Amino acid sequence: MVLFQHMFTANMASILKPPQFQIAWLLLKSPCVREHISIVVQLAFLVLLLLQFVRKLVSCICRNRTEVRDEGVEKYMAGVKFSISYRITMVCSTLLFGTHLIMLLIMLNGGETLCDSKVRAFSSEVMQVVLWASTLLTICKIPSNKYAKFPWILRSWWFCSFSLSIIYTALDAYSRVTNHSQLNVRDYADVICLLPSTLLFGISIRGNTGLVYALSNDTTEPLINGKTVTHLEYKRESLYGKATLFQLVTFSWLNPLFAFGIKKPLDQNEIPDVDIKDSAEFLSHDFDERLKHVKQKDGSINPSIYKAIFLFIRKKAAINALLAVISAVSSYVGPYLIDDFVNFLNEKNKQSLKTGYLLALAFLGGKMVETITQKHWVFGARQLGLRVRAALISQIYRKGLRLSCQSRQRHTSGEIINYMSVDIQRITDLIWYLNIIWMLPVQISLAIYILHTTIGLGSLAALAATFIVMSCNIPITRFQKRYQSKIMTAKDDRMKATSEVLRNMKTLKLQAWDSKYLNKLESLRKIECDWLWKSLRLSVTSAFIFWGAPTFISVVTFAACMLMGIQLTAGRVLSALATFRMLQDPIFSLPDLLSNIAQGKVSADRIASYLQKDEIQQDSVEYVSKDKTDFGVEIDNGRFSWNPESSSPTLDGIQLKVKKGMKVAICGTVGSGKSSLLSCMLGEMQKLAGTIKISGTKAYVPQSPWILTGNIRDNILFGNQYDSHKYEKTVKACALLKDFELFPCGDLTEIGERGINMSGGQKQRIQIARAVYQDADIYLLDDPFSAVDAHTGTQLFEECLMGLLINKTVLYVTHQVEFLPAADLILMMQNGKIAQAGRFDELLQQNIGFEVIVGAHNEALDSILTVENSSRTSQELVPDASTDAELIRSRHDSEHDLSLDITKKEGKLIQEEEREKGSIGKEVYWYYITAVKGGALVPIIILAQSSFQVLQVASNYWMAWTSPTTSDAEPVVEMKLILLVYTLLAVGSAFCVLLRAMLVATIGLRTAQKLFTNMLHSIFRAPMAFFDSTPSGRILNRASTDQSVLDLELAGRFGACASTIIQIIGTIAVMSQAAWQVFVIFIPVTAICIWYQQYYIPTARELARLSQIQRAPILHHFAESLSGTATIHAFDQEDRFTNANLSLIDNHSRPWFHNASAMEWLSIRLNLLANFVFAFSLIVLVSLPEGTINPSIAGLAVTYGINLNVLQASIMWHICNLENKMISVERIIQYSNLKSEAPFVVEEYRPPNNWPEVGTICFNNLQIRYAEHLPSVLKNITCTFPGRKKIGVVGRTGSGKSTLIQAIFRIVEPREGSIIIDNVDICKIGLHDLRSRLGIIPQDPTLFEGTVRGNLDTLFQYSDKEVWEALDKCQLGDLVRAKEKKLDSPVVENGENWSVGQRQLFCLGRTLLKKSSILVLDEATASVDSATDGVIQKIISQEFKDRTVVTIAHRIHTVIDSDFVLVLSDGRIAEYDSPKRLLEREDSFFSKLIKEYSMRSQNFNTTQQ
């Protein structure tokens, strides 16, 4: 222990003290100190080598085998290509071995040594020779062992060898200077050894051997990972990956990117790749391996995420920690030497200038080491953060694909998106702060040590004061952690609601609920703001305590010195003040550290909790080889449940055998378990009992269409290769050819988010085509014909099910009874059980329940046949003249050539996300600064910060000026007065900080709130076209990540910028007092710094923007994947979607990584320039003649100058970082100025309270298009819907039926023409006045998270009695009464805990409550069975008998009883008249539709008979 203490002290003294200060050098009088150090280090390595050898020997004996080499590679090995780094290691190791061998021979021949012990000197040199011989041997064996990296023990030895060389050279220099002796052979040998040792140390940092193996087929294969020879396609080119050691140290590998970025704004494809070790694929695989390791080690099903992260980051984190500790140590060189510097200035006449210059060199050396190590640990921490983020995002994504139904209901997509955006960002920040944990004890220990050397026992008071200040963190951290948890919960709730609103914006606008949900989001934001304010208030308290901490510590320390009688000289005071300023850094960073630990812990717990949620059962379905069974699907006594905790299972007693090639139809009433039966075959449900066997591949068509953003062809191919013949057959069978002709770019037309720009029928047929193209063995189709018209449904059934899929096993759910007779087996579901099973005629004879559905269908058919027959017998009725004229015009319109509208149109709906280019406009900064009270409080903040700086400088100036320069001198005034004035000045400065922090927090939060409110209102007022063409991920990204920047970071960044500028002005002012000559170099260096900043910003700004933009696709892809997990599983596409996610992560990592690197590129250059300014000022102070300047003031200048490099770099870093953060403001402002819909209310055009009274709707030359670059969807629509009549709207899928309805509600505004309702032009009145007076049941039934009552009566306008009446009328009363919570029964996100049919019935219930004069039914009963449909139609007839009802339907019987029928074709009126008159014309479109239905009914009745 004494030996180590001796060596450490000697080493520190040799580095930090000049030869004139003998006190710290006494221990160096030992002539054998060099040998002591060398022997200890080398013995330790020899022991390590021995242990490594023993470990390998034991391993060989235990396994009884030697390491097996890759014989395949050996066999074809043609040679090895040696890299430059490998050759350098050989040359350097040989040189070092030779040098030490020569020195050993010289010693054997009687050569002189400084050490008086020959044994020690000889032992030291022998061990050097042995170790370097071993090194050479190891290096020679590396090619045969095919190592990708040099062994760790070898790299450790090179590091220690480098350290020993530095120590030897320093000791030699000290010896020659003190003894005034000449250089000898030993000195020359040490200098020779220093260069190769430095090169080896450089190579040991990266550790790559760089060996490339040439194979016999002329291909070279580099070793990328371990000892495995991998193929070239895995090698990723990146600037960072190819960088040399010098480029890595100086970050100059970024120079090509800056050279390109200064010429033009960067685009995503111009950013280099990340290194292979930073790629998402590599990181995801590596993290999986860590999880497996933890799982095996702990023997647990859910491995600890913390252990996995620790194993994942430990190597890189250890290197970062080492650099951080070196940086912390070197930062204290300056404070340690200040006392000596002041003493030198006091005694200039007694000492040579050489001493002063050596001191200046020591100051500069410490700052240089600090700068380089600091930049590299910061860069390393950011790189590690990137790796953790990529690994965790991939884990969250894959978990999302595997979540069980119950877990998904507990974690909504909004919550999970929050995990991906906010929580992972917090964990990334925590990784950066981790290094402060290692630095804190080192910094505090060094500070106390320096204080002990200058003021002796006074340091104990400083230590006590430091611990008192730090202990204040405990309660603050406890509260901060609680607040952070509350903030995240509030943010989750807000993001969940935002996500739901964006997903269902069309419904909100149709129902005029947008104001209600806007208020809901604002109230959720208010809760979040309350917690944010509490957290910020606590941060203000922290700032006050910790800005006042150096003052408190210094007052306590100086007071203790006075009480103990310790003389406070100027040198000691300045050294102490410099140390307190250095101590300020760890004390300042402590609240941030604890706050980040609190935030990171909350976020990590949330992610850990999510990753441990239940997954879908992987073994619920047993897959049987196709040649081992005749059955495609077998279920034996199956019991399944969506909620395993529920007492009653969803499906019970399922017994089913489906032979290969069979067509199985599944029918039943709403909520009977039809869709659940298909889900259990997909393995989506929890299996409670029984077995389920599947033989062959599956394809699945869900009831609610799941369409991916992209073009139509990609949706159909779904990851498969394009086969033109197979593709054409598929799209023809799925009746898509006509649609392709109408689309602007055919099948390459872009689809909006969730297929928003496609009709329901088009979406359904696209996903049927996707399934058919897969060419699977088993097809599971969930109500595939509900969204298509009768003609298309027949075509799909005949050409798809009974055509292309004739030899496939098909199970299809259907409510269309006409498709049942063709089935080989029909399953009648009832209350989660197969109530009946058999062929059509068998089930009819059983009289258990099937005949009810068939009976309802027969009634509907009879109504059609009755109308048709009556029309055939009334040919004497002559059509009205006006109707004839209208028909002629309609026919003429329908023959109009569409080619003019189709050609030269762009088919892209989803445009690339907008990004500003060039510098962020001054107006963005001005907007942010003046958002609250016009910026009136900003001057007060600047004044408070300036006052703080002035008072700080004044207090330090006072201490330096009044303290005696030497121990013998008397102080200018009494020490009590000195301390009193100092305390008053320091306390005043602390209160200035309190004022500044309070104002910054207040203004920051109020500005963030104002910007949020503006954006929210702008988004809610945006037209539907904006939501059609904008993926929700872009909006969520702004509402989540960008808003978080405004809430918690941006105000602080502005404050930091202002305070750093004021600090640097103060520092330069103090330094110029001592040496005005510093301006000679400061001004040009500042100019160079500004040039560097201007050179840096164009590239960094675009990198930051691209990084922000590339985050949205990750969130969008994830949200899209979550909604289609069943389809992804069914098609076995998990790997493809996971790879797509990894690719998106890399797209985000590329700009993010290069942006983080660019910050350090700038920072290291500015730091180095600042270091030379500081060194120049020291040289000026040393060179000035004695008496020119007061040594105390000079010492104060040095005290401030120590931080000059940090301040000068900080100011540029803060400005650049602020600009990067301002991008969030820019993006939020972008969405705060969206084009708005018409106003909610137009006062001068308010309709009467009873409007619409009659309900007459007139269309005059109506033309509609969805966007300026898209063709018209409705063309020249002119007709009148009479009031209080029933109007049916029919037409082929995609003919414009749903668009007509949207026009009535002004979801899309007319391009030309008008719509008049009861003599009121709807385009002149307010949107709220219009939409709140109309009723609609939309095509896609929407439920919101909440309760049954909240979904029926969203605005809480009706009594419970009225709500129950509506539920009874829409056939849901009994179902809701059976629930435990009745009207308060929960509805989860998207209404997933209710079937699609039940959701449509809820929508009907809303309309029944509203009692509008005009009701629109948009495919309102598409997802319910015939019996329920019949009941609903009767209810609508009774409840709305004196109202206008506009019905869009694919089931002809729902419109056959209408007073008028409008037939649309390609966006034009084909026919418009009463059903009776239309049927009189055999060539009418409506007649053909009825004929087709009649033929189908005859076929059906024949089958029945």
Side-chain angles (χ1 to χ4, degrees), residues 114 172-184 187:
L114 284 173
D172 289 343
Y174 166 69
S175 175
R176 298 301 150 229
V177 171
T178 52
N179 298 326
H180 305 289
S181 54
Q182 297 296 319
L183 296 174
N184 59 27
D187 300 327

Side-chain angles (χ1 to χ4, degrees), residues 756-770:
I756 200 99
N757 56 330
M758 298 281 158
S759 72
Q762 286 167 338
K763 287 188 278 187
Q764 190 72 294
R765 283 179 286 124
I766 287 168
Q767 67 168 2
I768 292 171
R770 175 202 295 156

Side-chain angles (χ1 to χ4, degrees), residues 1080-1094:
V1080 174
I1081 192 167
F1082 178 74
I1083 292 167
V1085 164
T1086 302
I1088 295 168
C1089 287
I1090 292 167
W1091 180 86
Y1092 264 126
Q1093 186 210 12
Q1094 296 302 315

Side-chain angles (χ1 to χ4, degrees), residues 159-367:
F159 170 72
C160 287
S161 168
F162 169 70
S163 304
L164 287 172
S165 288
I166 293 287
I167 292 166
Y168 294 165
T169 308
L171 289 171
D172 289 343
Y174 166 69
S175 175
R176 298 301 150 229
V177 171
T178 52
N179 298 326
H180 305 289
S181 54
Q182 297 296 319
L183 296 174
N184 59 27
V185 177
R186 165 64 64 189
D187 300 327
Y188 287 118
D190 287 340
V191 172
I192 290 167
C193 289
L194 182 60
L195 178 62
S197 294
T198 306
L199 289 170
L200 289 174
F201 169 64
I203 289 167
S204 73
I205 294 170
R206 290 299 298 276
N208 292 332
T209 60
L211 293 174
V212 177
Y213 287 87
L215 305 183
S216 56
N217 60 356
D218 296 329
T219 62
T220 58
E221 307 212 355
L223 297 173
I224 289 172
N225 186 13
K227 298 186 183 181
T228 315
V229 179
T230 54
H231 294 286
L232 276 173
E233 62 253 34
Y234 294 109
K235 188 176 181 181
R236 299 174 73 114
E237 289 294 326
S238 78
L239 292 176
Y240 175 71
K242 295 191 297 181
T244 61
L245 176 64
F246 176 76
Q247 288 174 330
L248 288 171
V249 170
T250 59
F251 294 93
S252 52
W253 54 271
L254 278 166
N255 289 352
L257 186 63
F258 280 110
F260 191 82
I262 196 75
K263 293 174 186 172
K264 65 178 280 295
L266 285 171
D267 288 323
Q268 178 68 19
N269 58 356
E270 291 163 348
I271 301 169
D273 274 348
V274 289
D275 189 33
I276 184 71
K277 287 187 179 176
D278 296 319
S279 67
E281 186 179 358
F282 178 90
L283 296 168
S284 175
H285 175 74
D286 193 26
F287 196 80
D288 283 342
E289 292 299 312
R290 308 298 174 197
L291 276 173
K292 283 178 192 169
H293 176 77
V294 174
K295 195 182 286 187
Q296 288 169 2
K297 192 174 179 183
D298 294 354
S300 62
I301 300 168
N302 292 320
S304 165
I305 190 82
Y306 295 106
K307 287 183 182 177
I309 290 175
F310 169 73
L311 292 173
F312 180 70
I313 68 171
R314 60 181 177 180
K315 287 183 182 175
K316 181 75 177 170
I319 294 168
N320 290 347
L322 178 65
L323 291 170
V325 168
I326 293 170
S327 171
V329 170
S330 54
S331 68
Y332 278 89
V333 172
Y336 184 61
L337 294 176
I338 279 180
D339 190 21
D340 296 327
F341 191 74
V342 172
N343 290 340
F344 165 78
L345 293 176
N346 270 324
E347 301 170 0
K348 249 189 187 177
N349 56 346
K350 298 177 185 175
Q351 300 183 43
S352 67
L353 279 177
K354 185 179 173 185
T355 305
Y357 292 137
L358 279 172
L359 270 171
L361 187 63
F363 271 111
L364 179 63
K367 297 308 289 179

